[in-house]
Amino acid sequence: MTASHSDSLVVLFGATAGAYGAKLGSDERELILLVWQVVDLHSKKVGTLHKSLVKADNLDLSDQCREVSGLTPEGLGKAEPLDRVLQQFSQLVSSDLKVLGRSSYTLCSDGQLLIRQVLHPETSKKNFLLSDCFYSFYDLRKEFHTCYPSSAAVKDQTIKTMAEYLGLGTDETEEDFGVWQVKTMVAIVFTMLSESCNRIFTEPETVKYKYETGPCSKSETVDSETVIRARGLPWQSSDQDIARFFKGLNIAKGGVALCLNAQGRRNGEALVRFVDSEQRDLALERHKHHMGSRYIEVYKATGEEFLKIAGGTSNEVAQFLSKENQVIIRMRGLPFTATQEDVLGFLGPECPVTGGKEGLLFVKYPDGRPTGDAFVLFSCEEYAQNALKKHKEILGKRYIELFRSTAAEVQQVLNRYMSTPLIPTLPTPIIPVIPPPYTIATGSIRDCIRLRGLPYTAGIDDILEFMGDATGDIKPHGVHMVLNQQGRPSGDAFIQMKSADKAFMVAQKCHKKMMKDRYVEVFQCSGEEMNFVLMGGTLNRSGLSPPPCLSPPAYAAFQTAAVIPAEAALYQPQALLPTTRTPQASAAAPPAVTYYPAQAAQLYMNYTAYYPSPPVSPTTVGYIAAPPGAVAAAATATHTPILPQPGALVRMQGLPYNTGMKEILSFFQGYQYAPDDYNGLIQLSDQARSVLQAPKEWVCL
């Protein structure tokens, strides 16, 4: 007689309104049938066999369900809902145990699917708890394979194949659907017990009650066969929400890593690490299952991807996350002068922080400057909920955003900020790639078109494909993307055509044509109108409005200015464009050093329109990495005027909107100014030039 953790088994079988067999639960269909019977492992007696229909919210049965089960919507409409059926299950099992003189039991099901993929997910969605007995069960297929190693692999086993292996009767037509399955499972159990198989019914499968948070180190080894990527998550989803989506499956400790975009905000994706490959494979079966009203895509991922998101090396973070089973809240938008006492006072006594000051983690740059972000630990859900109620309340003069967070997000945010250099550098020197003499169009000739309503993911290749045969009529370097003040695509683009007639034909042909899943509006316009919008102005039915930072006279000064992309300010001076201050100098200077790669047609620079920068187009000027030989040639070319060696341009980002010239000059007080050679790079109004040329020790451009 083999040992067991309980006196009895409850052999359990179930079916849903959808798929049957190996795909049970993969289609999110509800449970419609439960059949069970108590088995006394010691006396080998059985209790009463029970069969209960379950009333589903959706009684539309699949063809396979109708054919296999013989059930009808009319019959199910008279049944009890799932919560009532589970109450009856507990009562009837307790009654049968008393009759048999036993006190404890463990469930035994045909495989993992009924417990993990049907009961746990459905009860989680319907917001009621399963009793403890559903968190531990025996997988009859695994127990059978342990007892009979020469039988088929576990994944290929069915009730019928196990019965045939033992020579048991397999005529399913003799009994009702579900009844034959339970009776056959009981016969298989008795056969296994009579043959005194070793190590059966001793180690039950377990389902974790809740997800455990915890840190992850980059030095850990993560098996790629245990990781998935979930896509399409609501942006406000927490690690607990994701764990609830995968309810019934065992996620590894600290195994939920929410992914962030370049701005540090959640992008709707997460990497999830499970305890083994079997759990991962079950998770993949939940592809396009729903979280609320959204369906979630589930794909395979790698351990390397998980460590890149969730792994960390900071001792400070590891110590902060060492307090287990804590609820993490992220605070964003804190004043840079905020102290630990300020944050604790903001949260108040109704939401005490775990460990007081030790439960706070301020996010800082490598030089110690605060970023305005912080993470807070709370010991229970109640305290965390009280804290979330303070979302957008005021601390100092700023409103504070509060969100649920995760250990992986803490690692990501810290890694992102701590790895940011104080002075951004780029890996390879560059040489300007200067196209043939060309200027951005001006004037009132309507030889341009405006594309409005582009998908935000659209690139130049998408635009060229959208225009079809008309791409041959585009002027060289004539595609201009319009960005917003954050440097992101605004959904607009301007294209310079070879003539006004060509622009008219394209506007007629492509107006409201589809690009991806959106229709795009196409209008004919002039070069002057295009330049206004590229500089930050607006063009609508009311006419033209100048850029918000410039007056119309000042704007005119920028139309013929040399174009220097904002990215170029991060490079060494010798790599910048040659200066051209006068027509005479321009005529005398020989051509600049140029490096063209093999794929010259794909010279697209990263564009950024931070106002009031001159208009920048992805194809107007391209900056690319050049071979070392080309760099040396450019550096030794004495005939090419370049920026003076001592100085460089800097770009200021994040200025208050009301900042004036005096505030900028005060900010750089004490720094040495650049010589007048810089003035030829950027056109300035007379007023601005008079300020810059006044006696001083520094200047910013």
Side-chain angles (χ1 to χ4, degrees):
M1 182 67 181
T2 54
S4 175
H5 290 287
S6 57
D7 301 314
S8 308
L9 296 179
V10 175
V11 177
L12 183 67
F13 177 83
T16 69
Y20 175 72
K23 289 294 183 180
L24 183 69
S26 64
D27 53 4
E28 283 190 288
R29 298 305 303 272
E30 296 170 273
L31 192 72
I32 59 170
L33 175 69
L34 272 182
V35 186
W36 69 91
Q37 188 172 29
V38 177
V39 177
D40 187 335
L41 292 176
H42 296 277
S43 65
K44 298 183 182 180
K45 295 180 180 179
V46 297
T48 305
L49 190 146
H50 301 278
K51 178 178 179 179
S52 289
L53 299 180
V54 183
K55 182 179 180 180
D57 295 336
N58 181 6
L59 294 177
D60 183 19
L61 307 182
S62 69
D63 293 339
Q64 183 185 27
C65 176
R66 290 174 183 268
E67 180 181 352
V68 173
S69 68
L71 299 175
T72 63
E74 294 75 16
L76 294 173
K78 301 175 183 179
E80 297 285 351
L82 180 58
D83 55 344
R84 293 289 302 276
V85 170
L86 292 178
Q87 290 177 6
Q88 295 173 4
F89 170 83
S90 298
Q91 294 170 359
L92 292 171
V93 168
S94 298
S95 176
D96 289 342
L97 288 174
K98 288 182 179 179
V99 172
L100 295 172
R102 300 301 175 187
S103 58
S104 62
Y105 67 95
T106 304
L107 298 179
C108 178
S109 65
D110 172 33
Q112 307 266 322
L113 302 182
L114 176 61
I115 305 294
R116 295 191 185 275
Q117 298 285 69
V118 178
L119 281 167
H120 278 282
E122 183 174 341
T123 54
S124 178
K125 289 179 181 178
K126 294 183 176 180
N127 292 314
F128 61 87
L129 298 176
L130 284 171
S131 60
D132 292 346
C133 67
F134 290 98
Y135 288 85
S136 177
F137 67 98
Y138 290 111
D139 181 345
L140 183 59
R141 299 183 186 187
K142 289 185 178 180
E143 301 297 329
F144 186 86
H145 191 73
T146 300
C147 190
Y148 305 102
S150 61
S151 62
V154 173
K155 65 179 181 179
D156 299 325
Q157 298 279 18
T158 64
I159 296 175
K160 187 173 184 178
T161 60
M162 289 187 288
E164 290 175 345
Y165 185 89
L166 298 176
L168 303 176
T170 58
D171 188 0
E172 300 180 41
T173 60
E174 295 181 359
E175 305 283 356
D176 291 340
F177 178 72
V179 174
W180 177 87
Q181 282 82 353
V182 170
K183 286 186 175 181
T184 305
M185 291 168 68
V186 171
I188 293 171
V189 169
F190 282 151
T191 303
M192 293 165 60
L193 292 174
S194 64
E195 296 187 8
S196 301
C197 296
N198 295 324
R199 302 189 311 278
I200 61 170
F201 303 123
T202 58
E203 298 180 3
E205 303 286 318
T206 59
V207 180
K208 287 189 175 182
Y209 282 88
K210 63 178 182 178
Y211 167 66
E212 298 177 277
T213 61
C216 176
S217 171
K218 286 188 180 294
S219 61
E220 287 187 34
T221 300
V222 177
D223 184 0
S224 293
E225 296 299 313
T226 64
V227 183
I228 62 94
R229 179 184 295 273
R231 182 178 298 163
L233 299 165
W235 68 268
Q236 70 273 28
S237 299
S238 68
D239 54 351
Q240 298 295 339
D241 296 322
I242 296 171
R244 185 176 181 182
F245 174 80
F246 289 108
K247 184 69 174 176
L249 306 180
N250 293 338
I251 299 175
K253 183 177 180 179
V256 177
L258 294 166
C259 301
L260 306 181
N261 60 19
Q263 288 73 42
R265 300 176 183 271
R266 297 172 187 173
N267 64 2
E269 295 189 10
L271 293 171
V272 185
R273 176 188 179 189
F274 294 90
V275 296
D276 55 42
S277 59
E278 181 182 31
Q279 304 290 306
R280 194 282 305 266
D281 292 342
L282 292 175
L284 292 172
E285 292 295 327
R286 300 197 187 183
H287 179 60
K288 292 196 173 182
H289 282 204
H290 288 76
M291 180 184 289
S293 59
R294 304 186 60 158
Y295 72 81
I296 309 301
E297 300 173 52
V298 182
Y299 304 100
K300 292 181 179 180
T302 66
E304 182 180 354
E305 290 175 312
F306 182 83
L307 286 176
K308 184 177 179 181
I309 298 298
T313 57
S314 170
N315 292 331
E316 183 182 14
V317 176
Q319 183 177 359
F320 176 77
L321 297 175
S322 62
K323 303 176 180 65
E324 298 182 358
N325 300 322
Q326 300 291 308
V327 183
I328 305 174
I329 298 295
R330 180 180 180 182
M331 302 180 71
R332 192 165 61 198
L334 291 168
F336 295 145
T337 57
T339 64
Q340 292 177 324
E341 290 78 9
D342 295 332
V343 174
L344 293 175
F346 172 80
L347 295 171
E350 63 272 19
C351 38
V353 177
T354 301
K357 294 181 180 180
E358 294 181 359
L360 296 176
L361 178 65
F362 285 91
V363 182
K364 298 180 180 180
Y365 290 107
D367 62 351
R369 291 181 296 116
T371 64
D373 280 27
F375 293 94
V376 189
L377 295 178
F378 295 99
S379 60
C380 66
E381 187 67 29
E382 179 185 357
Y383 294 158
Q385 288 291 347
N386 291 339
L388 291 173
K389 293 177 183 177
K390 297 180 180 290
H391 180 60
K392 292 196 174 182
E393 289 191 7
I394 302 298
L395 175 58
K397 295 183 179 180
R398 305 190 64 173
Y399 71 83
I400 310 301
E401 298 175 288
L402 289 94
F403 308 95
R404 288 183 175 275
S405 188
T406 68
E409 186 173 25
V410 176
Q411 298 280 21
Q412 282 185 83
V413 173
L414 266 294
N415 290 345
R416 184 186 304 275
Y417 281 112
M418 293 305 293
S419 62
T420 303
L422 295 179
I423 301 177
T425 58
L426 292 173
T428 311
I430 57 170
I431 286 182
V433 177
I434 305 196
Y438 168 77
T439 57
I440 295 179
T442 59
S444 58
I445 299 176
R446 300 176 65 80
D447 58 352
C448 303
I449 58 170
R450 179 184 185 181
L451 276 61
R452 188 169 68 186
L454 295 168
Y456 294 129
T457 57
I460 293 179
D461 291 338
D462 298 310
I463 293 175
L464 297 180
E465 181 181 355
F466 172 81
M467 294 185 62
D469 296 338
T471 55
D473 299 321
I474 300 175
K475 285 185 177 181
H477 313 285
V479 180
H480 307 269
M481 307 292 288
V482 180
L483 308 183
N484 61 21
Q485 292 187 352
Q486 288 73 44
R488 301 172 188 165
S490 66
D492 282 23
F494 285 90
I495 299 176
Q496 295 175 256
M497 307 301 294
K498 291 181 178 179
S499 68
D501 292 340
K502 299 294 185 183
F504 175 79
M505 294 297 295
V506 173
Q508 294 294 316
K509 179 181 178 181
C510 297
H511 184 56
K512 292 195 174 182
K513 181 179 173 182
M514 298 298 293
M515 180 185 293
K516 298 183 178 180
D517 57 346
R518 301 186 65 171
Y519 74 83
V520 179
E521 298 175 291
V522 183
F523 307 101
Q524 188 179 9
C525 65
S526 67
E528 181 182 13
E529 293 169 337
M530 179 188 75
N531 276 311
F532 262 73
V533 177
L534 289 177
M535 282 296 298
T538 57
L539 172 62
N540 51 38
R541 293 184 179 89
S542 302
L544 286 170
S545 299
C549 299
L550 301 173
S551 63
Y555 174 77
F558 281 85
Q559 293 182 351
T560 58
V563 176
I564 296 185
E567 287 77 8
L570 303 180
Y571 291 88
Q572 297 301 320
Q574 62 267 26
L576 293 175
L577 281 170
T579 57
T580 307
R581 293 195 295 273
T582 65
Q584 292 80 5
S586 177
V593 177
T594 307
Y595 168 64
Y596 291 94
Q599 302 296 330
Q602 298 184 6
L603 297 181
Y604 304 142
M605 59 171 260
N606 291 326
Y607 46 84
T608 307
Y610 289 99
Y611 310 123
S613 301
V616 176
S617 163
T619 52
T620 299
V621 180
Y623 284 86
I624 57 177
V631 177
T636 57
T638 57
H639 59 271
T640 305
I642 59 175
L643 286 178
Q645 295 297 320
L649 297 174
V650 296
R651 181 181 70 193
M652 299 181 70
Q653 185 173 340
L655 291 170
Y657 294 121
N658 58 353
T659 301
M661 183 68 69
K662 292 182 179 180
E663 286 79 10
I664 296 176
L665 298 180
S666 298
F667 179 81
F668 285 103
Q669 181 67 42
Y671 288 87
Q672 185 177 2
Y673 75 95
D676 290 340
D677 296 283
Y678 282 83
N679 294 341
L681 287 171
I682 300 179
Q683 298 289 335
L684 302 172
S685 65
D686 294 338
Q687 179 183 5
R689 182 173 286 103
S690 64
V691 174
L692 295 175
Q693 291 178 347
K696 54 195 175 297
E697 295 181 350
W698 46 268
V699 68
C700 72
L701 295 178

